[in-house]
Amino acid sequence: MPQDHRPTASVRILLAEDQGMMRGALALLLGMEPDLEVVAQVGRGDEIVSTALTTRPDVALLDIELPGRSGLEAAADLRDEVPDCRVLILTTFGRPGYLRRAMEAGAAGFLVKDGPVEDLAEAVRKVLRGETVIDPALAAAALSAGPNPLTARERDALGAAVDGATIADIAAALHLSESTVRNYLSSAIGKTGTRNRMEAVRAARQQGWL
């Protein structure tokens, strides 16, 4: 059996990625670094916090679009429930709105998946040292895009409309009146400069506001 020469104080990583092949490849590549150790892998967002409470990772490497709960929501949960765990968002979708939401959720870094694994490994080390790591191009885009204009309730209404739900369906899901839902959707349509709620959903998603 080959000996494990990694340092005794290896950085413990929790990896959350819903695509099994990508998750396995990332775990393998990160595990080849002598000072990094992937101690847990999950494929769902609603498994992140419970797994982190059990394994106590130093860094959680999270995708955004995960079944059960988004990586951004999980990042906020980790900040509250596992405050010693630093969060690094790694996603295919480099959208300015996602970056802002990640920072608001307490993430220490935000990278897109097309970078070299050496940069990812170094980013893990940096966030553990207390640094913030952000993809430079995305940071510039976020500054030029400005803040998310949608209120929390407008985002809720658009999110509930994603699958073509009716006004009545959205109202029931959010425990609001139908007139209130119409007002939220109308406001969101105006702020996104679109013609209807489905166009508003697409526009908000493209910006990372949902």
Side-chain angles (χ1 to χ4, degrees):
M1 294 286 292
Q3 293 184 349
D4 189 346
H5 296 289
R6 70 178 66 248
T8 55
S10 293
V11 180
R12 296 168 58 82
I13 301 171
L14 182 155
L15 178 59
E17 162 65 54
D18 63 327
Q19 297 182 25
M21 187 175 294
M22 173 66 75
R23 185 171 66 247
L26 284 171
L28 179 63
L29 291 169
L30 290 170
M32 294 173 68
E33 297 290 322
D35 58 335
L36 306 183
E37 180 183 7
V38 177
V39 297
Q41 301 179 44
V42 299
R44 294 181 56 87
D46 50 12
E47 297 174 346
I48 291 171
V49 172
S50 60
T51 303
L53 287 168
T54 302
T55 59
R56 292 292 172 178
D58 301 306
V59 176
L61 189 58
L62 311 181
D63 194 5
I64 290 180
E65 297 194 356
L66 295 167
R69 193 161 182 78
S70 78
L72 297 176
E73 293 170 320
D77 295 339
L78 287 173
R79 176 190 58 198
D80 297 335
E81 299 188 46
V82 195
D84 292 337
C85 178
R86 301 279 283 172
V87 173
L88 179 59
I89 299 293
L90 180 67
T91 181
T92 304
F93 305 101
R95 297 168 181 166
Y98 278 166
L99 172 57
R100 288 182 176 274
R101 289 168 60 194
M103 297 299 103
E104 290 169 359
F110 194 111
L111 296 175
V112 292
K113 290 179 181 176
D114 59 0
V117 71
E118 293 83 4
D119 288 355
L120 176 58
E122 187 57 28
V124 169
R125 300 181 185 106
K126 285 181 177 179
V127 299
L128 190 61
R129 293 197 298 263
E131 300 178 38
T132 299
V133 181
I134 300 173
D135 180 88
L138 185 58
L143 287 173
S144 63
N148 184 347
L150 302 175
T151 67
R153 275 307 198 179
E154 289 165 356
R155 292 197 301 270
D156 289 342
L158 281 182
V162 165
D163 295 324
T166 66
I167 296 293
D169 293 336
I170 298 170
L174 300 180
H175 306 289
L176 298 171
S177 69
E178 293 186 21
S179 61
T180 298
V181 168
R182 288 192 181 91
N183 288 338
Y184 285 141
L185 290 174
S186 177
S187 178
I189 290 167
K191 289 179 179 179
T192 54
T194 53
R195 296 173 297 180
N196 55 59
R197 65 177 185 258
M198 296 315 297
E199 287 187 5
V201 166
R202 285 194 294 270
R205 278 184 155 179
Q206 287 170 359
Q207 291 295 328
W209 294 337
L210 282 184

